[in-house]
Amino acid sequence: SVNEPRLEINLPDGTPSILEQLFGADNWERIDNVRTSLWVASPGARVRAVAKYSANSENFWGGSQEFFTVRRDFISLTRGPAASIKQAGPFYLYDNASGVRWSTLVGENPDQRKHAVIFRITKHGGVNYSIGDYIIAWEDLAEEGDYDYNDLVVLLHNLAPVPESAAVK
């Protein structure tokens, strides 16, 4: 579909999407909406970069905690940098791409547009991920750029979106 980020669909040559390569076909559901802007960590929370396809250096943050920087392109459930999450309370997630900060909160973005597409693992876990884990795919160019949302793809374990009614603004 033209209106869907290319991360979710097979390429014209039939190559499986990043999500299918990493997590299997139909093992995720798209859940992004205004209720997924804030996140809260449970004990054992961690984040891992699982794919990157961008000329930019991607620096990933949660609230005031810098998690990691990714400079080279790759796709892997084990090779990407990872971090334990120590951030307390609800927080936003940010991708700082070569000096421009893109947030899970649309109103925080310089162009006021969505730069994160969010998915949840739904049917089966694997050695490196679990049912209920979240995936966030980022677009790092203004005006949603080339609309591929593969500039940085991160896997969130033991994190959950905060219900909109519980969010403090």
Side-chain angles (χ1 to χ4, degrees):
S1 164
V2 173
N3 295 324
E4 295 297 315
R6 284 181 273 149
L7 174 83
E8 291 184 63
I9 59 177
N10 288 338
L11 300 177
D13 66 2
T15 303
S17 72
I18 290 171
L19 294 179
E20 288 179 351
Q21 291 178 54
L22 291 171
F23 307 104
D26 301 321
N27 190 32
W28 39 267
E29 65 178 339
R30 186 170 170 182
I31 58 128
D32 57 313
N33 57 44
V34 295
R35 292 178 181 86
T36 56
S37 296
L38 285 169
W39 295 80
V40 65
S42 299
R46 63 184 186 274
V47 59
R48 175 179 294 280
V50 295
K52 178 189 176 297
Y53 290 98
S54 173
N56 289 324
S57 176
E58 309 286 333
N59 184 253
F60 193 62
W61 290 73
S64 62
Q65 182 184 352
E66 180 180 1
F67 296 132
F68 47 73
T69 299
V70 187
R71 291 185 174 83
R72 297 177 191 243
D73 292 352
F74 74 99
I75 180 171
S76 172
L77 282 168
T78 58
R79 282 189 328 144
S84 295
I85 298 175
K86 299 171 181 73
Q87 186 73 35
F91 55 90
Y92 300 111
L93 295 170
Y94 300 97
D95 175 23
N96 187 341
S98 296
V100 179
R101 186 169 84 174
W102 304 110
S103 172
T104 52
L105 180 63
V106 172
E108 295 284 315
N109 293 329
D111 61 4
Q112 303 290 296
R113 299 190 62 173
K114 182 180 279 195
H115 285 264
V117 180
I118 303 165
F119 306 89
R120 181 175 45 230
I121 301 293
T122 57
K123 295 183 181 166
H124 61 82
V127 173
N128 300 299
Y129 60 91
S130 302
I131 294 173
D133 283 355
Y134 289 89
I135 305 156
I136 302 183
W138 295 88
E139 175 54 55
D140 69 357
L141 298 174
E143 305 299 320
E144 296 173 287
D146 52 9
Y147 209 64
D148 59 9
Y149 289 82
N150 66 2
D151 301 311
L152 179 63
V153 181
V154 295
L155 176 66
L156 306 172
H157 179 72
N158 283 354
L159 272 94
V162 175
E164 187 174 19
S165 61
V168 177
K169 299 189 180 191

